[in-house]
Amino acid sequence: MAKSTEKNKKGGKKARPSFRRYIIWFWGLFAAGVLLVVLLFLMASWGVFGPMPTFEELENPETNLATSIYSSDGEVLGKYYNENRTPVKYEDLPQHLVDALVATEDERYYRHSGIDAKGTLRAVVYMGERGGASTITQQLAKLLFTENVSNNTLSRVIQKLKEWVIAIQLERQYTKEEIITMYLNKFDFIYQADGIQSASKIYFGKEPMDLKVEEAAVLVAMLKNPSLYNPLKEQFKDNSLRRRNVVLKQMEVNGYLSQREKDSLQQLPLVTDFTPQSHDEGVATYFRVYLQGFMQDWISKNPKPDGGSYNLYRDGLRIYTSIDSRMQKHAEDAVEEHLAHLQKEFDRQNRNNPTAPFRDVNAQERNRIVENAMRRSSRWIDMKNQGKSEEEIRASFDVETEMRVFSWQGLRDTIMTPRDSILYYKSYLQAGMMSMTPQTGEVRAWVGGINFKHFKYDHVRQGKRQVGSVFKPFVYATAIDQLHLSPCDSMPMSLHTIEAGRHGLIEDWTPRNAGNTYGGMVSLKEGLANSINTVTARLIDRTGVGPVLNLIENLGIDISNIPNAPSIALGSAEISLYEMVSAYSTFVNEGVYVKPIVVSRIEDKNGTILYQHLPETRDVLSEEAAYVTVNILEGVTQYGSGVRLRGTYASHLPHYQRAVTGYPYDFKNPIAGKTGTSQNQSDGWFIGMVPDLATGVWVGGEDRSVHFPTLTYGQGATMALPVWGIFMKKVYADPELNVSDGEFPRPEHVSIRTDCDSRSEESQEDPYRDIPDELDF
C-alpha cells in the first residue's frame, strides 16, 4: 500500500507540467519582439530602409505655398499656385475645428508622443475594423515625407515604420498646436483646396475662423477621404452628411459638445457655398493676368539673397495691390449689366445681316476673317503639333461637335461646328474698363473683357483701339497751355481746310462735322461739348501737330505708332484704355502726371518687405491750363454728348429703352468727361472724372467690322457711357468708398476766363438734346 502511494506521488509529479520554461520562452520572445521593434526603429532612423528627412528638412518641411494677391481693402483677389495653399496660424483656427479634428482623428492626441500605443494595439488585434492607429502626427509625417503610398505590403510596412520614426521626431521639434496647424495647412481637400484656408474659402466662402461648427465638421469628415466624403459631389453628398454627423457624435463623446448641441447640429442640412479659385474664375481675372506678367518681370530683376530666383507659384509671396475689391465688383457688375442688355439689341439688328456678325465686308473678306481665326485657334495649333495635315485640320472645323459655350444667360450646351463657334464668339461685343485715383495713380478697378474664361484678350492694357473724339481734349489742352485760350472764346463752325504742305500734309484736309452742320459761331466749351470737328481742326492748325504729340507723350501715351499728321486731332490714333485714363487723370491732378500703379508692395511668406512702390510723377501742364481743360470737359456732361448722365428727358426714346442700360442716371454733381466714336462705329468710348476718380470705358467688337449699322446705337454715348453711369451710381451708393461728389478744386490764381455766361442760340433751344459723337476724317 505504501509502495502504491509512493508510486502515485511519483506519477503525480510527472502529471504536472512545468511552466518555467514556457515563461522563460514568453519573456524571451517578448524581449526579442521589443528589441526587434527598437532595432527596426533604429534601422529606419539610420536610413537602412531608405533616406530619412534631415534635421533641417524637419525644421523646414518643403511645402508649396500659393502667392496671394490682396486688394487695397484687404481682400484676397486671387492666387498664383501649383498648389492652392495659403498657410494660417494656430490662432486663426476656430477652437471647434481643432476639437472636431482631435475627437475624430486622434482622441489621445494630447497624451501621446507621436505614436498611440493603445490605438496601435487595437488596430492589430481587430485588424483595423475598430479604427486605425495613425495619429495626427503620423498623418502629418505621411503628408510631408511619403510621396507615393506603396501597394506592396512589405514596402508599406517599411513606410509605416519610417512615418512612426518621423512622427516621434516631429513631436520633439514642434508643439501640439504647431503640428495641428501644419497638418491642416498641408491636407489636400481637392477642388484646388490645398490646406484649411483654401478649403474654407472654396467650400464655404469664408475664412477658417468664421466656420460654424457643422461646417468645420464637414471639412474634418473629408480628412478620412476627401473624394468619398466630398459635399460637392452629388453621388457622395449622403456620405458627407453621414460622416459629418459621425464627427459631431465624436465631439459629444469627447466632451466638446453636449447631447442637445449634437442632436441639434445633426438635424441641420448640409449646405455649402462653392467659391472656386481657378485662374479663370473669381474677381479681377484680367488684372491678375497682367499682374502675373508684372511679377515675372520683377522676379527676373530681383533675385533672392542667396542668388536664387523667387518662384511665383511656390514661395508664398504676398502681393498688395491698388485694386479696391468693392470698386472692382461694381465695375464688373456694371460691364455685365450693360453689355448683356446691349448685346440683345446688337443681335436683333444682325438678324437680317447677310455677313453677320460683320458689316462692310463681302463674302471673301468674311471668309478671310474666319480663316485667320482658325489658324490662331488652339485646335489648329494642337492638331498641327500632332502632325495632322492642313486638309485634315480644315476638315475638323466643319464637323459638328458637342460644346459648352458662353452666353449672357449662363453656359449653354449645344452642338455646332468649330467654324460656327468662331462666328458665334465674334458676334459678342467686348468691353474694357479702368478706374484710378488721379492724385496717387492707384488703379482701383480693371475689367479687361466680358468673361475671361472665354475671351482672354485684355482690352485695358493689351488692346489698342482707335480713340475717336476722346483724343480732342489733348488738342484743347495744348491750345489752352500755348495760346492761353478761354473756354468762352468763339470760333466759326464753318468748314476749315488745312492745305497741302502745311503740317506735312501731302494733300488738302477738310474734316466734316456730324450731320454736315456748319455756320455760326460756338465757344470752345461748346465746340468740345458737341464734338465739333471743324473747331478741333482749327485748333491743331494753330498749335501744330508736334506740341500735341509732345503733350500726350508726357501724359504717358506711346507715340511710336501715332502719325505726325493733323488727323490725329479727331482720334485716328490707336491708344490703349490704360494710357487714356492715366492721361486724363493728369487734368484732374492739377497738371501733374502720376504713372499708374498696381502694386504697392510685395512681401515674402514671412512678411519681409521685398518691394515698396515709389511714385513716379512729372509736371506736364500748369495748374491753370489743367483746370481750364477740366472746365471745358464739364461742358460735355452739362449740355454736350454726355448730357444723358443728367436728366430723364429721353426715357421715352426707343434706343434709350433698348440700349441705354440703367437710364436715368440723374447725376447732379460736377462731372468732366468726353465721349468718343471711331469710324463706322467700331469703337465707343467714354472717359469721365470726378475730383478723386477717373474712369474710362471702351466698347466694341473683337474685329472692327463687328459694329452697329448706325450712329444712334454705335456712338460712345450709347455703347460706353452707360457702363460709367451704372458704375458711378454703385460707387456713390457705397458709403465706405467715400468718393467725392464735390466741385473740382480751383487754383488760387486763374487768369483765364471760365465763367461763360451764355451759349449759342442752338444750344439754348434744347439743352438736353441727344448729341451724336462722330469721327470723320
Side-chain angles (χ1 to χ4, degrees):
M1 192 78 180
K3 286 181 181 179
S4 176
T5 304
E6 190 178 334
K7 241 181 181 180
N8 287 338
K9 282 180 181 178
K10 286 180 182 178
K13 280 183 182 178
K14 285 182 181 178
R16 288 179 190 165
S18 175
F19 288 102
R20 181 177 177 81
R21 61 178 179 176
Y22 295 111
I23 293 172
I24 293 172
W25 270 103
F26 170 78
W27 285 109
L29 287 172
F30 179 79
V34 171
L35 287 172
L36 178 62
V37 170
V38 172
L39 180 62
L40 287 172
F41 266 76
L42 287 171
M43 291 172 70
S45 64
W46 293 334
V48 173
F49 303 123
M52 293 288 288
T54 64
F55 176 81
E56 289 75 17
E57 288 173 324
L58 287 171
E59 279 289 310
N60 299 286
E62 184 177 338
T63 302
N64 290 333
L65 301 180
T67 289
S68 297
I69 310 163
Y70 294 93
S71 67
S72 60
D73 55 316
E75 296 296 319
V76 176
L77 295 175
K79 299 176 184 179
Y80 303 123
Y81 55 83
N82 291 330
E83 296 178 3
N84 184 17
R85 179 177 292 104
T86 301
V88 296
K89 298 177 181 177
Y90 183 81
E91 51 265 31
D92 296 324
L93 300 173
Q95 188 58 46
H96 52 256
L97 173 64
V98 175
D99 294 342
L101 170 64
V102 172
T104 309
E105 295 296 317
D106 193 351
E107 292 176 309
R108 286 172 291 279
Y109 176 67
Y110 294 108
R111 301 196 296 274
H112 64 65
S113 298
I115 298 174
D116 182 3
K118 184 177 179 181
T120 302
L121 184 61
R122 180 194 63 210
V124 171
V125 171
Y126 295 101
M127 302 299 289
E129 292 183 4
R130 296 192 181 182
S134 288
T135 64
I136 292 173
T137 318
Q138 286 174 258
Q139 292 179 51
L140 175 60
K142 178 181 174 182
L143 288 175
L144 290 175
F145 300 107
T146 303
E147 292 185 10
N148 298 302
V149 176
S150 177
N151 293 321
N152 180 278
T153 303
L154 179 60
S155 297
R156 184 60 193 134
V157 169
I158 292 172
Q159 284 182 339
K160 272 286 186 185
L161 283 170
K162 292 170 70 175
E163 288 166 12
W164 287 351
V165 174
I166 294 170
I168 293 171
Q169 292 175 331
L170 288 172
E171 288 273 352
R172 289 174 179 171
Q173 291 182 227
Y174 295 99
T175 65
K176 292 288 188 180
E177 291 76 14
E178 288 172 333
I179 289 171
I180 284 177
T181 307
M182 291 169 69
Y183 176 60
L184 290 175
N185 279 331
K186 183 64 178 175
F187 192 84
D188 181 2
F189 291 87
I190 71 176
Y191 283 106
Q192 296 178 324
D194 296 291
I196 191 65
Q197 199 272 353
S198 294
S200 301
K201 280 284 191 180
I202 288 173
Y203 287 95
F204 297 105
K206 57 182 67 174
E207 294 293 335
M209 185 56 78
D210 300 322
L211 289 170
K212 298 177 182 177
V213 175
E214 66 273 18
E215 294 168 339
V218 170
L219 296 180
V220 169
M222 292 172 67
L223 298 174
K224 185 176 179 69
N225 186 320
S227 182
L228 185 62
Y229 299 104
N230 196 288
L232 300 179
K233 295 184 176 181
E234 199 61 41
Q235 66 269 39
F236 298 138
K237 270 192 172 181
D238 289 341
N239 291 355
S240 179
L241 180 62
R242 285 194 294 270
R243 182 65 182 168
R244 181 203 71 175
N245 290 342
V246 168
V247 173
L248 294 171
K249 173 64 177 175
Q250 284 297 108
M251 292 180 74
E252 181 216 357
V253 169
N254 287 275
Y256 297 121
L257 291 177
S258 66
Q259 183 176 349
R260 176 179 291 183
E261 288 173 324
K262 182 265 296 181
D263 292 341
S264 176
L265 289 169
Q266 286 184 336
Q267 295 305 310
L268 295 174
L270 198 160
V271 179
T272 58
D273 179 14
F274 184 47
T275 310
Q277 291 186 348
S278 73
H279 298 298
D280 284 351
E281 296 170 297
V283 296
T285 45
Y286 291 91
F287 169 75
R288 279 152 42 196
V289 171
Y290 168 74
L291 181 63
Q292 192 173 24
F294 175 97
M295 287 301 300
Q296 295 291 14
D297 181 63
W298 179 85
I299 287 170
S300 69
K301 298 173 182 175
N302 296 271
K304 290 181 177 180
D306 63 4
S309 295
Y310 290 102
N311 189 307
L312 186 61
Y313 308 97
R314 293 185 357 184
D315 285 349
L317 301 175
R318 302 170 191 168
I319 309 170
Y320 295 88
T321 72
S322 60
I323 296 292
D324 185 292
S325 67
R326 298 157 297 186
M327 283 197 192
Q328 181 68 30
K329 179 69 164 55
H330 296 328
E332 292 180 4
D333 288 347
V335 168
E336 180 176 342
E337 286 178 34
H338 179 55
L339 268 292
H341 186 211
L342 188 66
Q343 188 67 42
K344 293 177 184 176
E345 179 61 23
F346 187 72
D347 292 341
R348 187 186 73 81
Q349 295 190 24
N350 259 327
R351 284 175 194 160
N352 298 318
N353 176 14
T355 57
F358 314 108
R359 292 186 183 274
D360 310 317
V361 298
N362 55 37
Q364 185 178 359
E365 290 169 328
R366 183 177 187 265
N367 290 337
R368 188 178 69 251
I369 294 171
V370 175
E371 169 77 12
N372 290 337
M374 286 167 52
R375 288 182 174 276
R376 291 195 303 268
S377 70
S378 58
R379 171 185 288 270
W380 187 290
I381 295 168
D382 290 344
M383 292 185 72
K384 188 175 181 180
N385 290 337
Q386 292 168 13
K388 302 291 184 182
S389 68
E390 191 166 305
E391 184 180 353
E392 290 176 302
I393 297 173
R394 287 183 186 282
S396 75
F397 277 87
D398 294 314
V399 177
E400 288 194 337
T401 307
E402 290 185 2
M403 58 181 71
R404 177 169 289 181
V405 297
F406 167 82
S407 80
W408 281 116
Q409 291 72 46
L411 293 178
R412 183 166 65 89
D413 291 316
T414 187
I415 297 175
M416 65 173 73
T417 67
R419 183 187 296 272
D420 287 338
S421 74
I422 289 173
L423 292 169
Y424 175 80
Y425 278 118
K426 282 188 177 293
S427 71
Y428 275 93
L429 293 172
Q430 300 297 319
M433 180 178 179
M434 177 177 139
S435 191
M436 67 177 281
T437 303
Q439 291 76 18
T440 63
E442 293 169 298
V443 177
R444 297 304 189 185
W446 181 308
V447 185
I450 60 174
N451 184 286
F452 181 75
K453 187 172 184 178
H454 295 90
F455 305 95
K456 303 293 188 187
Y457 196 78
D458 176 28
H459 292 285
V460 171
R461 187 71 190 265
Q462 191 176 2
K464 291 195 174 189
R465 298 294 289 252
Q466 206 171 63
V467 292
S469 293
V470 289
F471 190 91
K472 291 176 180 176
F474 302 137
V475 179
Y476 277 72
T478 304
I480 292 165
D481 197 41
Q482 270 193 0
L483 309 174
H484 222 58
L485 295 181
S486 162
C488 312
D489 290 339
S490 295
M491 283 197 171
M493 287 179 61
S494 59
L495 287 169
H496 179 77
T497 297
I498 301 179
E499 298 177 350
R502 186 169 172 79
H503 307 306
L505 285 176
I506 299 174
E507 56 186 25
D508 292 352
W509 180 60
T510 308
R512 299 179 180 279
N513 289 332
N516 288 317
T517 304
Y518 308 99
M521 302 288 288
V522 292
S523 69
L524 287 186
K525 195 167 188 175
E526 288 178 89
L528 187 63
N530 300 335
S531 210
I532 299 171
N533 291 335
T534 54
V535 173
T536 311
R538 279 185 163 82
L539 289 176
I540 200 167
D541 193 15
R542 293 180 64 180
T543 65
V545 179
V548 176
L549 289 174
N550 290 338
L551 173 67
I552 65 172
E553 185 175 29
N554 286 328
L555 293 175
I557 294 174
D558 177 16
I559 66 169
S560 59
N561 292 314
I562 297 178
N564 189 341
S567 61
I568 65 170
L570 306 187
S572 62
E574 296 182 352
I575 303 172
S576 71
L577 178 63
Y578 176 91
E579 292 171 305
M580 290 300 295
V581 175
S582 60
Y584 264 61
S585 294
T586 306
F587 299 141
V588 181
N589 193 34
E590 300 175 336
V592 179
Y593 171 78
V594 182
K595 185 177 180 180
I597 73 159
V598 295
V599 176
S600 56
R601 75 179 187 276
I602 302 168
E603 296 178 357
D604 67 12
K605 64 182 179 182
N606 299 314
T608 303
I609 295 177
L610 306 175
Y611 166 84
Q612 186 82 47
H613 173 75
L614 295 175
E616 295 182 40
T617 67
R618 57 176 171 267
D619 293 336
V620 178
L621 291 167
S622 67
E623 281 187 52
E624 183 180 42
Y627 173 75
V628 173
T629 303
V630 170
N631 179 270
I632 288 181
L633 286 166
E634 285 187 80
V636 174
T637 67
Q638 291 168 347
Y639 47 80
S641 57
V643 72
R644 61 184 62 178
L645 288 173
R646 301 298 181 182
T648 62
Y649 71 98
S651 300
H652 63 286
L653 297 177
H655 71 279
Y656 273 71
Q657 296 169 5
R658 289 176 179 169
V660 186
T661 317
Y663 186 83
Y665 311 108
D666 205 22
F667 291 110
K668 306 298 184 185
N669 56 296
I671 300 170
K674 186 71 188 79
T675 59
T677 310
S678 68
Q679 285 180 318
N680 300 323
Q681 303 83 239
S682 295
D683 307 277
W685 293 78
F686 182 71
I687 301 176
M689 301 174 290
V690 295
D692 56 359
L693 197 66
T695 304
V697 181
W698 167 88
V699 175
E702 178 183 317
D703 293 82
R704 285 174 169 78
S705 53
V706 175
H707 58 77
F708 278 102
T710 66
L711 196 62
T712 302
Y713 291 93
Q715 62 179 300
T718 303
M719 290 213 295
L721 179 143
V723 176
W724 194 95
I726 297 167
F727 170 69
M728 289 304 294
K729 283 182 76 172
K730 292 177 183 291
V731 166
Y732 281 133
D734 191 335
E736 292 183 0
L737 295 176
N738 196 31
V739 172
S740 171
D741 60 357
E743 299 283 341
F744 290 96
R746 179 185 175 93
E748 190 174 342
H749 301 289
V750 178
S751 61
I752 299 175
R753 181 187 169 203
T754 57
D755 55 338
C756 310
D757 296 326
S758 61
R759 302 195 307 277
S760 67
E761 290 183 10
E762 181 187 354
S763 296
Q764 291 184 46
E765 284 175 7
D766 184 1
Y768 293 110
R769 70 198 186 287
D770 194 32
I771 301 167
D773 182 8
E774 185 176 83
L775 173 64
D776 187 351
F777 301 121

